[in-house]
């Protein structure tokens, strides 16, 4: 299961973008430029406690996105 400290690779199924990897960190360590996202961010919240192969929905100001979790490290 995905927890703080894990690196998750997700693919945006809505737009078909290339996969992107993020480390899930606490809010004080978050730095999107370094691919570190907070566990309190929309994507961070959505992937917590999920596992490889799961699809999550993330509601953002730009609309609803679906992400497939393709790797957890």
């Amino acid at each position: 299961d995905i927890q703080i400290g894990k690196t998750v690779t997700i693919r945006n199924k809505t737009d078909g973008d290339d996969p992107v990897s993020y480390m899930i960190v606490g809010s004080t360590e978050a730095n999107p430029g370094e691919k570190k996202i907070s566990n309190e961010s929309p994507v961070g919240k959505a992937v917590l406690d999920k596992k490889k192969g799961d699809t999550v929905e993330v509601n953002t100001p730009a609309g609803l996105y679906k992400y497939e979790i393709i790797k957890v490290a």
Side-chain angles (χ1 to χ4, degrees):
D1 291 358
I2 298 168
Q3 299 295 328
I4 291 177
K6 296 279 188 178
T7 298
V8 59
T9 303
I10 57 176
R11 182 177 64 215
N12 183 336
K13 293 178 75 170
T14 306
D15 293 341
D17 294 339
D18 289 337
V20 181
S21 296
Y22 295 104
M23 177 180 271
I24 308 299
V25 297
S27 58
T28 58
E29 298 174 72
N31 184 336
E34 294 181 4
K35 303 287 188 203
K36 294 180 180 179
I37 59 171
S38 167
N39 62 317
E40 298 173 10
S41 70
V43 173
K45 281 184 193 176
V47 300
L48 280 180
D49 298 320
K50 300 295 188 282
K51 59 187 182 300
K52 180 181 173 183
D54 287 351
T55 296
V56 296
E57 292 187 350
V58 180
N59 203 353
T60 73
L64 184 68
Y65 288 90
K66 291 185 180 183
Y67 294 95
E68 179 183 4
I69 300 168
I70 57 177
K71 183 178 177 184
V72 179

